[in-house]
Amino acid sequence: MVKKEVADQIHSWRFIIMALLILLTWLGSMYVSMSNIRSAMENVRDHDTLYFYLKLLTITDRSLPPFHVFIGFLGPLLGIALGFDAINSEQSNGTLIRLMAQPVYRDSLLNAKFTGSLIVISILFFSLNMLMVGGGMLITGVRIEVAEFIRILCFVGLSIIYVAFWLNLSILLSVKFRQTATSALTAIAIWLFITVFYPILVQIILKGILPDPNDLSPDQLVIYNQIRHNFLVVMPGQMYADGTTTLLMPVVRSMGPLTMEQMAMAVPSPLPLRESLLITWPQVSGLIAATVACFAISYWLFMRREIRT
């Protein structure tokens, strides 16, 4: 069943279109990074001259965002496209009853839908990042460090978890609604609200209940930014952005605002991989928890659903 789902996803036009779109953004980001890598390597400090391949994923001249920013925007659309009709299309086409009439457990169908799409997503992201590493080696001849390669693998894993959340959310909506158009529009509406309207709503609420930031002292401004960050950190996109920033930029030491005293006492050197993973772990665990919650709810609904009508 998993092989069939993988084959169906690979040959579907929606995956081909989304994969081409992600590939084009990857090519654009890599072109901008390679065009500006020389100046970036010349202008950095001595302790920041390493991590050449991490700079390929983060350097930009502001004409195009870095690749991880594109993934933060296009990743949800990829997950929604692969899962919004996972169950309701089977029922509307009449194939769900025939499939369940076979000696197949009901939960095996849901597991195959999720696993097949997750395999396709994992192969796509892993291939793009390995192409970046291989292309960088062929063009520049710079050898990649072990810690740098592990950071890139962690970035790939975090991207897969992020897209898996939206995949599970779309599968949940496909179980909940019988019409594929309804599940697709609901998933896109949730994505738009979390990505666009929720930060605006938070800003309006904070502006109404808290003083104007321009009238605050530096210490009060840190508290204001911390409150704002606490409201925004529950967003999956914010979790992904914070996690990728920590993994791809070893000099990042905190996800929240820092006081001048904390910045003055910080040693200007990149963090070890272990410390970056510890900083990233709350975001990773939050995305994993949200993914598991969506899968558990869809599992519970599907197991109790009447499929003969």
Side-chain angles (χ1 to χ4, degrees):
M1 294 179 66
V2 173
K3 291 181 180 179
K4 177 183 178 299
E5 292 299 326
V6 172
D8 291 342
Q9 295 290 8
I10 292 177
H11 293 94
S12 63
W13 278 107
R14 56 188 173 183
F15 172 75
I16 294 175
I17 293 173
M18 289 301 304
L20 288 176
L21 185 59
I22 293 177
L23 179 61
L24 289 176
T25 57
W26 176 81
L27 290 174
S29 299
M30 290 302 103
Y31 175 78
V32 172
S33 299
M34 293 300 295
S35 300
N36 296 274
I37 191 65
R38 181 182 297 274
S39 60
M41 297 297 290
E42 291 176 351
N43 295 330
V44 294
R45 298 181 296 272
D46 293 338
H47 66 266
D48 199 28
T49 54
L50 302 177
Y51 305 114
F52 171 81
Y53 292 93
L54 295 183
K55 289 181 174 61
L56 288 180
L57 291 171
T58 55
I59 287 177
T60 179
D61 59 356
R62 298 184 180 181
S63 60
L64 282 178
F67 180 60
H68 66 89
V69 177
F70 277 119
I71 294 299
F73 181 78
L74 296 176
L77 295 179
L78 177 62
I80 292 172
L82 296 182
F84 76 93
D85 62 344
I87 301 299
N88 48 21
S89 64
E90 297 278 0
Q91 188 163 11
S92 61
N93 294 332
T95 57
L96 185 59
I97 298 177
R98 299 176 183 177
L99 185 60
M100 291 294 98
Q102 305 299 320
V104 176
Y105 291 106
R106 182 179 290 197
D107 56 345
S108 298
L109 175 63
L110 195 63
N111 293 334
K113 294 286 186 181
F114 172 70
T115 305
S117 300
L118 190 63
I119 290 175
V120 173
I121 294 170
S122 303
I123 293 175
L124 175 63
F125 287 161
F126 182 79
S127 300
L128 289 179
N129 284 274
M130 292 304 101
L131 282 176
M132 182 273 296
V133 174
M137 287 183 176
L138 290 176
I139 295 174
T140 63
V142 178
R143 189 180 66 176
I144 187 171
E145 301 292 337
V146 176
E148 190 176 11
F149 184 72
I150 296 176
R151 284 180 181 271
I152 294 176
L153 291 181
C154 292
F155 162 68
V156 174
L158 182 58
S159 302
I160 294 172
I161 295 173
Y162 175 61
V163 180
F165 163 73
W166 293 101
L167 173 64
N168 267 325
L169 179 63
S170 60
I171 292 177
L172 170 61
L173 296 175
S174 73
V175 175
K176 178 64 177 177
F177 301 108
R178 294 184 179 272
Q179 300 295 326
T180 57
T182 305
S183 60
L185 290 176
T186 305
I188 294 176
I190 294 174
W191 170 66
L192 285 176
F193 174 78
I194 294 177
T195 306
V196 179
F197 297 107
Y198 180 75
I200 297 175
L201 185 61
V202 169
Q203 190 67 27
I204 293 175
I205 294 175
L206 292 180
K207 187 176 181 180
I209 63 178
L210 295 179
D212 188 357
N214 297 324
D215 300 332
L216 299 178
S217 63
D219 294 336
Q220 293 174 336
L221 187 60
V222 171
I223 298 176
Y224 177 89
N225 291 328
Q226 185 64 52
I227 295 174
R228 182 177 180 272
H229 182 266
N230 291 337
F231 278 102
L232 296 178
V233 77
V234 298
M235 298 167 47
Q238 187 66 36
M239 293 182 187
Y240 176 74
D242 291 345
T244 52
T245 300
T246 306
L247 290 174
L248 299 179
M249 299 179 182
V251 294
V252 175
R253 296 175 171 272
S254 175
M255 292 294 97
L258 296 175
T259 61
M260 296 300 296
E261 291 79 6
Q262 292 173 325
M263 295 178 62
M265 298 181 65
V267 179
S269 62
L271 289 179
L273 176 61
R274 179 177 178 275
E275 300 298 329
S276 296
L277 292 176
L278 289 177
I279 296 175
T280 311
W281 179 245
Q283 285 74 23
V284 176
S285 59
L287 288 174
I288 293 176
T291 304
V292 173
C294 290
F295 185 79
I297 296 173
S298 61
Y299 187 91
W300 181 78
L301 291 176
F302 186 63
M303 295 298 290
R304 294 171 60 90
R305 181 174 178 175
E306 177 59 53
I307 63 175
R308 291 175 297 179
T309 58

